[in-house]
Amino acid sequence: MRNTGAFSAMAIAGLVIGYVMFLIGLYNAPFELNVKGYYIAVILLISYSAIGVQKVTRDNAEDKEIIAEEDAKRTFQG
C-alpha cells in the first residue's frame, strides 16, 4: 500500500470540504439558476481533469520504472 489510511482520509476530506465550501458559496451567490448550474458543471469537469492528469502522470512514471527494470534484466541475461 502506497499511502497510509490517514493520508488517504485527509485527501478525501480536503476534497469534500472544498466541494462543500464551493457549494455554500454558490448557494449564497446572487446568480440565476442557469449560471449556478454552469459553475457546478465547470467544477466537476476541473475535478475530473485533475484526477485524470494525476493518474496518467503516476502511470507513466510507473511504466518508466518497469521498462527500466526489464531492460536491466535483459542486459544482465544477454
Side-chain angles (χ1 to χ4, degrees):
M1 183 174 206
R2 294 181 183 200
N3 297 315
T4 63
F7 184 79
S8 298
M10 183 182 67
I12 292 170
L15 181 67
V16 170
I17 290 169
Y19 274 128
V20 168
M21 291 176 67
F22 176 79
L23 291 174
I24 289 171
L26 192 60
Y27 178 77
N28 291 324
F31 298 138
E32 294 179 12
L33 192 57
N34 61 338
V35 176
K36 291 182 179 186
Y38 172 77
Y39 279 113
I40 289 172
V42 168
I43 195 74
L44 291 175
L45 179 63
I46 290 170
S47 299
Y48 176 77
S49 299
I51 292 167
V53 167
Q54 182 270 336
K55 182 184 180 323
V56 168
T57 303
R58 184 191 66 215
D59 290 348
N60 288 343
E62 288 176 355
D63 290 345
K64 287 179 184 177
E65 291 175 11
I66 291 170
I67 291 170
E69 288 175 7
E70 294 198 7
D71 285 345
K73 287 179 186 176
R74 278 192 219 120
T75 303
F76 181 70
Q77 292 174 353

